Amino acid sequence: MDDPTDPMTHWNKKPRYKGQKRLTNDLSCLKGIGPKRADLFRARGINTVKDLLYFFPLRYEDRREAIPIGELRPGEQALVWGRIRGGGEERVGGSRKKVFKIEIEDGTGTLQVLWFNYRPAYLWQVLERGKGLAVYGRVKAYGKTLQMIHPDVEKTESRKSGFLRPIYPSVKGLSQKVIAKAVQNALEGCAELVVDPIPGTFTEKLRLPRLYEAIKCLHLPPATGDFKKFSEGRTKYHERIQFDRFIGVVLAVLKKRYERSSTRNVGPYSLPVDLLEKFQANLPFDLTPDQTRAIKEICQDLEKDSPMMRLLQGDVGCGKTVVAAAAAYAAILNHRQVALMAPTQILARQHFVFFSNLPETLGFKPLFVTGALRAEEKARAYEMMRHGDCNFIVGTQALVQEEVRFQDLGLVIIDEQHRFGVRQRSLLAQKAEAPDVLVMTATPIPRTLAIILYADLDVSVIRSRPPGYKGVITRIMGEGEKRKIYEMVTGHMERGEQVMVICPVIQGTEDQDLRDAVNMYDALKALYEPRFRVGLIHGEMPPGEKDTVMQKFHEGKIQLLVSTTVVEVGVHAPGATVMVVEHPERFGLAQLHQLRGRVGRGEKQGLCLLVKRDGISGQAEKRLKVLASCDDGFVISEQDLLFRGHGEVMGLRQAGPGEIDISEVLNNQHLLMAAKEVAEKILREDPELSGQKYRYLRMQLEEQFGVDMQKKARK
Ligand code: ADP
Ligand code: MG
């Protein structure tokens, strides 16, 4: 075995890098990256060489062969090669503005290449009559003339560039060229540092490439690469990275399972026999049978002497919060603190309001902690937590920060965990000695997958909805029905109801036909204000601002809210009855189901209008129909799974290993199964790995996945 990237090749050597080059070194150790560029990368969350290597392209452009000018169609992006016929600077109309024009021809036609913003010196140097020029960009028709505006250009005599060009997610202040170059430097300079944590015997059997090869080929696709597969994220290189992400999570989960059986809970609770009755007596409604059962299951866990690890699954609106409240009540009766972590600021605040409104007799003393607090507020909050002046702490991920200390944390509740971040889960749990943990999710996943992903959790399910739940009617609308849609929207707002309009992206992208939130907001504001107030919310707004907007919407001060999917998770506005979703074909079914769960949660029935784009595939249309005809999250998630079997754009995330998303799981079940098998073999020291040095292997796994493998508990 002399594959240098195989961990087993090195097992007997000392760690090879001490104070030397490491993948965890700061980016600025790379050629061509000074402090300024390093800062720009950092702002995007890319700090180390490893981060950069795992910053994968979003998509690719096929620049392998030029298309003859005579065959170009306006609207398409293309590589064109031709000879320069002439050009230069001209005035635009009668104005002072100038345009730089270069004309190329290739025997089948001519193409005008235009720049409105440019450096003259550079373009004058490009403009060399008779020389070959390759240009890449979107083709436009201007009358009978074909044009390309601000394309990428390269002087070359070859019609072929021979490569698939990677397009990276944007990094503010850095061009694609700079990003690509930096990645290339990292690939060249650090090849020997990329040690594959998975032994070759496994990757070979699974027909997956070695790690370095996978990383490299994602950044620099081979010229023979299948463009379609690369674009859809379905190459074996994508699979390898996905596989690693699964291994990381599965290892952590399995390891926790092994460990849990050997830990003891600090103080098993003693609970009054009439706990449920007492709790119920303080509620304005009757608990449903499913809620009651879940609460009983939780109480049984709490009375045991090993810590609770329970997942509470239940569709949107089925009433999970009140079950969590019952669990918290049990902990508070036993004089322990409870921490509730929510994924967004908005949701955390909502919970805070809910728990603050519980009758005093239940004994809740809530506190709200978010990253948005000012320093002195934060210090005070921390002080209160440490001294036990509060017993119920609600917050965002700010709760897992270093400085956060509890006086006596007994129960950890994590809401809406549709990202399976095992690590975050355990970070909060580490704030206490073996606390009880309750995880809540509205994203039902099939049983087989739950068994793998939640191997360390017991599961309670709430299937039925509270009585009086009216649900949401879902209708599919065509693009041409705009008028009708907005007449309906107006009608509902006139009756004092609120509306949400969901867009898939925040602001204009290269895909010009895509309606974005910012533009939609401007348009609807112009249409409705001052008659109705229109608001905008998206993920890139500062947390405080998001909060304000959401609060206003909640209070009914905003009638129409334009939003991206930030509202997807758990947010609750009682007056919202109508949701318009633009480009629903861009969302997963389960996600759409989550989204529509945001409306119709008050007295009135909800209405969800899916505005599909003309010309979407029959398959996509079928998917939407499932949603229109079914309101059961479990059924929808199963259907989603079936559809996705046909391969949907996966889009690698730029995150390294750590957290995985439901869609990744649904799209790659076979890889997840394989990862589980491999992880189990590694943990069990399987005979197939005999002769392998486990200590070294674990060290590599630990380094790559951040899973603490050394202290493996015996089963
Ligand atoms: P989710 O499971 O999506 O988190 P919530 O806990 O936010 O749902 O509950 C949705 C709504 O249903 C809330 O307004 C809540 O007060 C209400 N609710 C919960 N349980 C019941 C019940 N048993 N009877 C009537 N209303 C209920
Ligand atoms: Mg909820």
Side-chain angles (χ1 to χ4, degrees):
M1 204 185 309
D2 46 12
D3 175 359
T5 72
D6 195 292
M8 289 313 143
T9 315
H10 306 286
W11 68 267
N12 58 351
K13 293 187 198 140
K14 285 240 151 57
R16 288 158 307 144
Y17 24 78
K18 241 206 174 129
Q20 304 170 26
K21 264 212 299 201
R22 301 187 59 145
L23 281 185
T24 48
N25 276 358
D26 193 86
L27 267 191
S28 49
C29 73
L30 290 175
K31 229 176 18 187
I33 299 195
K36 225 180 186 169
R37 283 184 177 165
D39 278 345
L40 291 169
F41 273 117
R42 217 165 281 133
R44 188 72 163 74
I46 303 164
N47 300 302
T48 64
V49 177
K50 185 171 171 184
D51 293 341
L52 186 61
L53 288 176
Y54 277 91
F55 186 63
F56 292 115
L58 212 56
R59 58 192 178 83
Y60 300 87
E61 285 173 358
D62 191 350
R63 298 199 175 187
R64 282 175 297 195
E65 234 163 300
I67 298 178
I69 295 172
E71 289 172 23
L72 288 176
R73 269 172 318 202
E76 71 183 353
Q77 298 212 42
L79 176 72
V80 177
W81 181 92
R83 291 204 177 281
I84 298 174
R85 280 198 358 179
E89 271 182 303
E90 288 174 17
R91 284 194 188 285
V92 183
S95 77
R96 287 170 129 202
K97 264 200 177 153
K98 282 186 185 166
V99 55
F100 201 107
K101 205 184 264 180
I102 295 183
E103 226 168 51
I104 60 173
E105 58 132 2
D106 68 352
T108 69
T110 50
L111 176 76
Q112 270 184 6
V113 186
L114 303 174
W115 286 266
F116 295 97
N117 299 308
Y118 55 91
R119 278 185 296 137
Y122 167 69
L123 288 180
W124 281 117
Q125 168 250 308
V126 170
L127 177 58
E128 209 177 331
R129 204 157 301 179
K131 285 277 157 77
L133 189 70
V135 297
Y136 185 93
R138 196 183 287 279
V139 182
K140 280 187 132 183
Y142 183 75
K144 277 189 180 162
T145 323
L146 286 176
Q147 296 185 330
M148 220 182 250
I149 296 166
H150 295 168
D152 279 356
V153 296
E154 190 192 354
K155 273 168 99 171
T156 166
E157 292 306 311
S158 158
R159 288 182 160 270
K160 291 184 181 181
S161 85
F163 76 113
L164 296 176
R165 181 179 186 234
I167 305 293
Y168 291 92
S170 59
V171 178
K172 210 169 166 205
L174 295 175
S175 69
Q176 287 288 332
K177 266 184 194 147
V178 170
I179 300 172
K181 189 72 205 154
V183 171
Q184 262 175 53
N185 284 338
L187 280 170
E188 278 160 25
C190 304
E192 79 285 1
L193 299 181
V194 181
V195 175
D196 193 332
I198 308 297
T201 44
F202 291 123
T203 47
E204 214 170 284
K205 208 183 279 167
L206 294 166
R207 301 200 185 169
L208 289 174
R210 303 297 294 155
L211 182 58
Y212 181 74
E213 189 195 351
I215 293 176
K216 183 172 170 190
C217 292
L218 286 173
H219 290 296
L220 304 168
T224 52
D226 180 335
F227 176 62
K228 195 158 176 275
K229 279 193 171 173
F230 266 96
S231 301
E232 293 174 357
R234 290 191 296 112
T235 66
K236 59 183 178 180
Y237 313 113
H238 289 91
E239 287 196 332
R240 172 60 213 260
I241 302 298
Q242 188 68 58
F243 178 80
D244 281 21
R245 289 163 64 73
F246 286 152
I247 282 266
V249 169
V250 172
L251 274 176
V253 170
L254 290 177
K255 191 176 163 261
K256 287 199 82 174
R257 186 175 66 189
Y258 291 142
E259 271 172 8
R260 179 152 73 106
S261 44
S262 60
T263 22
R264 317 203 98 223
N265 208 197
V266 178
Y269 295 161
S270 58
L271 300 175
V273 277
D274 60 346
L275 179 133
L276 199 64
E277 286 77 42
K278 271 194 185 145
F279 183 67
Q280 170 70 75
N282 283 289
L283 295 178
F285 47 71
D286 289 335
L287 292 164
T288 63
D290 279 0
Q291 285 172 325
T292 308
R293 188 167 32 78
I295 294 174
K296 282 186 180 152
E297 283 165 351
I298 289 169
C299 287
Q300 277 165 16
D301 288 353
L302 294 175
E303 284 173 323
K304 281 189 199 147
D305 62 0
S306 59
M308 169 170 79
M309 249 331 153
R310 187 167 284 277
L311 173 72
L312 180 60
Q313 270 199 8
D315 207 348
V316 258
C318 73
K320 294 183 290 292
T321 317
V322 70
V323 174
Y329 176 53
I332 286 169
L333 279 180
N334 282 270
H335 310 289
R336 309 294 301 276
Q337 282 177 313
V338 181
L340 168 62
M341 183 163 81
T344 64
Q345 179 100 227
I346 299 171
L347 197 54
R349 175 175 298 281
Q350 210 164 282
H351 280 312
F352 178 68
V353 171
F354 174 86
F355 282 91
S356 301
N357 287 334
L358 287 175
E360 253 170 59
T361 47
L362 288 175
F364 282 80
K365 283 181 273 171
L367 176 79
F368 185 45
V369 177
T370 75
L373 292 183
R374 274 176 285 127
E376 65 266 35
E377 291 173 321
K378 220 184 259 178
R380 246 204 31 226
Y382 289 170
E383 198 59 26
M384 289 178 71
M385 288 159 70
R386 233 187 346 260
H387 285 130
D389 300 334
C390 51
N391 57 17
F392 189 86
I393 298 97
V394 189
T396 55
Q397 304 190 353
L399 285 181
V400 302
Q401 268 158 18
E402 250 333 294
E403 322 87 78
V404 176
R405 300 261 147 65
F406 294 86
Q407 187 200 37
D408 187 11
L409 179 61
L411 171 65
V412 167
I413 304 170
I414 299 179
D415 191 22
E416 300 293 352
Q417 181 161 11
H418 65 168
R419 292 184 71 81
F420 310 109
V422 181
R423 194 138 10 117
Q424 287 228 323
R425 219 199 276 160
S426 52
L427 272 178
L428 187 52
Q430 276 161 22
K431 301 270 177 198
E433 193 135 337
D436 294 297
V437 177
L438 179 66
V439 175
M440 303 194 280
T441 177
T443 317
I445 53 172
R447 256 191 78 70
T448 43
L449 299 184
I451 288 169
I452 297 173
L453 282 172
Y454 294 135
D456 63 331
L457 300 179
D458 301 311
V459 180
S460 294
V461 181
I462 307 182
R463 272 211 91 131
S464 58
R465 289 229 175 66
Y469 173 82
K470 304 241 176 38
V472 182
I473 294 179
T474 301
R475 286 173 60 179
I476 302 171
M477 311 292 284
E479 261 183 315
E481 292 177 285
K482 270 269 124 89
R483 270 215 29 209
K484 200 158 140 203
I485 294 169
Y486 282 95
E487 273 166 20
M488 280 156 102
V489 164
T490 312
H492 280 270
M493 288 200 292
E494 278 169 347
R495 267 169 270 148
E497 296 166 26
Q498 289 166 288
V499 176
M500 284 173 162
V501 176
I502 310 291
C503 299
V505 292
I506 299 175
Q507 200 146 25
T509 53
E510 285 176 30
D511 190 347
Q512 289 156 359
D513 304 329
L514 205 59
R515 277 179 290 272
D516 63 83
V518 172
N519 266 319
M520 186 60 87
Y521 169 67
D522 290 340
L524 290 177
K525 209 170 151 79
L527 181 65
Y528 285 124
E529 289 205 341
R531 203 146 71 103
F532 303 110
R533 279 291 302 277
V534 179
L536 171 69
I537 190 165
H538 59 71
E540 281 178 15
M541 278 161 64
E545 222 171 282
K546 263 192 281 193
D547 250 11
T548 318
V549 173
M550 211 53 222
Q551 193 62 29
K552 279 190 185 155
F553 190 60
H554 201 89
E555 291 166 4
K557 288 181 187 151
I558 288 175
Q559 279 81 47
L560 192 154
L561 183 64
V562 179
S563 167
T564 55
T565 51
V566 282
V567 296
E568 176 189 343
V569 216
V571 174
H572 178 65
T577 55
V578 181
M579 173 173 284
V580 180
V581 184
E582 295 286 348
H583 303 287
E585 66 279 357
R586 291 217 151 208
F587 300 100
L589 280 189
Q591 195 181 16
L592 285 169
H593 181 65
Q594 279 281 313
L595 277 168
R596 71 176 172 181
R598 301 303 115 222
V599 294
R601 289 173 65 123
E603 321 270 87
K604 291 189 182 153
Q605 185 162 47
L607 173 65
C608 174
L609 302 174
L610 305 174
V611 191
K612 75 174 167 81
R613 211 199 273 218
D614 294 341
I616 59 169
S617 70
Q619 184 76 8
E621 189 145 0
K622 253 200 214 150
R623 280 183 46 200
L624 296 182
K625 282 196 178 133
V626 169
L627 214 61
S629 64
C630 170
D631 194 32
D632 183 332
F634 284 81
V635 175
I636 287 170
S637 113
E638 266 160 32
Q639 290 287 327
D640 209 8
L641 199 71
L642 289 176
F643 281 117
R644 280 163 194 263
H646 298 275
E648 192 150 289
V649 181
M650 172 176 97
L652 272 179
R653 258 153 241 276
Q654 26 92 15
E659 297 202 338
I660 51 176
D661 194 273
I662 180 89
S663 64
E664 294 177 57
V665 174
L666 295 180
N667 284 325
N668 301 283
Q669 293 185 70
H670 64 292
L671 284 177
L672 180 61
M673 303 292 182
K676 185 195 174 214
E677 224 166 89
V678 170
E680 271 178 344
K681 280 183 178 161
I682 291 171
L683 282 167
R684 264 191 286 116
E685 309 196 353
D686 192 84
E688 201 179 315
L689 287 166
S690 70
Q692 314 239 2
K693 298 297 173 276
Y694 279 95
R695 222 171 62 81
Y696 186 80
L697 180 58
R698 293 223 178 84
M699 209 173 83
Q700 289 308 328
L701 288 166
E702 179 171 343
E703 177 143 343
Q704 179 77 4
F705 300 121
V707 183
D708 175 8
M709 303 296 301
Q710 313 292 344
K711 287 181 280 169
K712 190 195 114 186
R714 245 153 279 278
K715 203 176 177 181

